Amino acid sequence: MMAAPISTPQQLRAAHTSAFSSRVNSHTSATNLPPPGRTRQVTRATTESIRQTAVKKAATSKRELFTAKYVPFTPTDEDESYNLDEIIYRSKNGGLLDVQHNMEALSIYGPEYWKALFDERSGRTTWPYGSGVWSKKEWVLPQISDDDIVSMFEGNSNLFWAERFGKETLGMSDLWVKQCGNSHTGSFKDLGMTVLVSQVNRLRKAGKPLVAVGCASTGDTSAALSAYAAAASIPSIVFLPADKISMAQLVQPIANGALVLSMDTDFDGCMRMIREVTAELPIYLANSLNSLRLEGQKTAAIEILQQFNWEVPDWVVIPGGNLGNVYAFFKGFQMCKELGLVDSVPRMVVAQAQNANPLYRYYKNGFEKYEAMKAEDTFASAIQIG
């Protein structure tokens, strides 16, 4: 049966009343929230059943209510947008794409509703909402079926109070470290890869001719992609710069069955190669040029606010390579501000390696002229990107 088209906030609210009885105006208890599924201990024997339970209980009205689409990262005169089920990486003018959510629909439910919902889901074993990423599903990839999600319950990483280091070494009164590296493959890349591989899983099930996923990497991306692709039984291919990858990260794509190609070039050279390959062959591009990954990575910013009981930190310092994660953090903070969960965003500082610092050089010349550079050797190999 076809659902009637929904185009106004009033229709959206009416369509959603079957799933939620009322708008939450205060920080409610778990009993006042829509039950996402019965919580139980996850074991090998119960993995399939929690997926099946989630599918049975999923409210189809949610997928009609909350939507997202690709739009040009830099606004153009044209009304250009694309469905997330399209395989596309660039706008008509060759620029980057961004994922744009229907903020009008999301704003139907007030900030206290979202806080309560996110807090209720956080760290549970309910599929897939116990994941730090998928606990924010409506803000990430709202129209995907729970059954298509590929997750290892990533996210929910510790916010470490580095009190002594902050005071004695840096002269800071209150320093906290978001330990995104405490993850399955050792980096924050898991947050984005669960989203991208879940969408690829959805597309393959829908009959899209995708034979594999591929990426260029300095280590972390290839580790994350190969792990999630293996979990979904999707072939993966990775291009790595020769002799510039740590053994801990190199062993992961190999162990996960990826086709690993060691190239006599740097990351930027590997990136050019994978773009050529994905343009010619039915292989899905998994680098952060693909904006789906940033949707998962932005949840780390939302999670920081959640861990601070929705108080905004003064400053957030983020290491910068290709700068995708920097934008992802801004997007997460800004989304919380737009929907009223917080009233401001923190000041963001980008830290680059001295031998790979084009953004810093751009800052030093007064943002007059941005020039790419060839990254030189640096111990911070993950951000050795020019």
Side-chain angles (χ1 to χ4, degrees):
M1 182 175 67
M2 295 294 292
I6 298 174
S7 58
T8 69
Q10 292 76 20
Q11 289 174 314
L12 292 174
R13 185 188 292 276
H16 209 48
T17 53
S18 62
F20 302 111
S21 58
S22 64
R23 180 175 178 172
V24 178
N25 292 314
S26 61
H27 193 86
T28 58
S29 67
T31 56
N32 293 327
L33 293 167
R38 183 162 62 94
T39 301
R40 67 179 72 176
Q41 182 66 34
V42 175
T43 65
R44 184 172 297 179
T46 63
T47 299
E48 194 59 35
S49 61
I50 64 171
R51 292 175 187 266
Q52 293 170 345
T53 300
V55 171
K56 291 176 182 178
K57 289 181 176 291
T60 55
S61 57
K62 270 191 176 185
R63 296 202 292 271
E64 297 170 359
L65 177 64
F66 304 124
T67 59
K69 60 185 177 182
Y70 292 123
V71 297
F73 181 81
T74 303
T76 63
D77 294 334
E78 296 184 53
D79 184 19
E80 183 181 354
S81 65
Y82 305 93
N83 190 291
L84 294 187
D85 288 343
E86 294 187 56
I87 302 173
I88 186 169
Y89 313 113
R90 294 281 192 174
S91 63
K92 290 179 181 178
N93 64 8
L96 296 173
L97 294 172
D98 193 14
V99 175
Q100 182 184 85
H101 290 262
N102 185 341
M103 299 298 284
E104 186 178 28
L106 290 171
S107 66
I108 290 175
Y109 296 93
E112 298 305 322
Y113 170 85
W114 292 117
K115 291 179 185 179
L117 183 61
F118 296 163
D119 287 346
E120 159 61 16
R121 290 171 171 175
S122 180
R124 304 300 181 91
T125 56
T126 307
W127 180 267
Y129 302 109
S131 157
V133 173
W134 297 108
S135 64
K136 284 85 176 169
K137 179 185 175 184
E138 294 83 358
W139 291 24
V140 175
L141 206 58
Q143 292 175 289
I144 193 170
S145 166
D146 290 350
D147 196 41
D148 293 336
I149 290 174
V150 182
S151 173
M152 302 180 194
F153 283 71
E154 52 288 309
N156 298 314
S157 59
N158 184 45
L159 192 60
F160 171 68
W161 188 24
E163 180 186 22
R164 186 167 62 87
F165 178 70
K167 289 181 178 179
E168 297 180 5
T169 305
L170 302 178
M172 300 175 65
S173 60
D174 201 16
L175 175 65
W176 297 77
V177 180
K178 180 63 171 168
Q179 297 182 306
C180 293
N182 287 1
S183 191
H184 302 82
T185 70
S187 85
F188 70 89
K189 300 293 178 70
D190 291 350
L191 305 179
M193 212 57 77
T194 180
V195 177
L196 183 141
V197 174
S198 294
Q199 179 66 2
V200 173
N201 192 39
R202 166 187 166 95
L203 295 177
R204 281 165 57 94
K205 286 183 178 181
K208 295 283 187 178
L210 292 170
V211 298
V213 288
C215 74
S217 178
T218 54
D220 291 338
T221 300
S222 62
L225 176 63
S226 62
Y228 282 87
S233 299
I234 300 172
S236 60
I237 176 173
V238 298
F239 288 76
L240 306 176
D243 302 322
K244 293 183 173 64
I245 306 299
S246 72
M247 185 60 65
Q249 295 298 58
L250 177 60
V251 72
Q252 292 190 66
I254 295 174
N256 283 314
L259 173 60
V260 180
L261 302 176
S262 179
M263 314 303 296
D264 188 18
T265 182
D266 58 8
F267 170 82
D268 298 301
C270 290
M271 190 67 220
R272 286 191 293 271
M273 292 181 189
I274 191 63
R275 287 181 62 184
E276 292 176 6
V277 168
T278 54
E280 297 293 331
L281 299 171
I283 298 173
Y284 196 81
L285 180 64
N287 281 94
S288 52
L289 180 68
N290 188 317
S291 53
L292 282 175
R293 276 183 45 198
L294 305 188
E295 292 304 293
Q297 290 168 208
K298 77 183 181 189
T299 62
I302 302 170
E303 198 170 275
I304 288 172
L305 297 176
Q306 189 176 7
Q307 289 170 312
F308 278 127
N309 199 27
W310 304 104
E311 292 185 10
V312 181
D314 297 322
W315 297 84
V316 174
V317 182
I318 309 168
N322 66 11
L323 306 179
N325 205 39
V326 177
Y327 176 62
F329 267 65
F330 167 77
K331 193 171 185 181
F333 289 134
Q334 184 65 22
M335 203 166 178
C336 286
K337 182 176 182 290
E338 287 185 29
L339 292 172
L341 280 72
V342 295
D343 57 10
S344 64
V345 298
R347 294 286 299 274
M348 292 172 57
V349 178
V350 180
Q352 291 196 301
Q354 185 174 348
N355 286 349
N357 61 350
L359 181 64
Y360 175 74
R361 297 183 184 196
Y362 186 38
Y363 158 74
K364 291 295 286 185
N365 70 32
F367 297 107
E368 291 182 1
K369 185 179 181 182
Y370 179 84
E371 293 182 340
M373 63 176 287
K374 180 174 176 57
E376 302 296 335
D377 289 342
T378 171
F379 284 116
S381 60
I383 55 174
Q384 188 178 322
I385 300 171

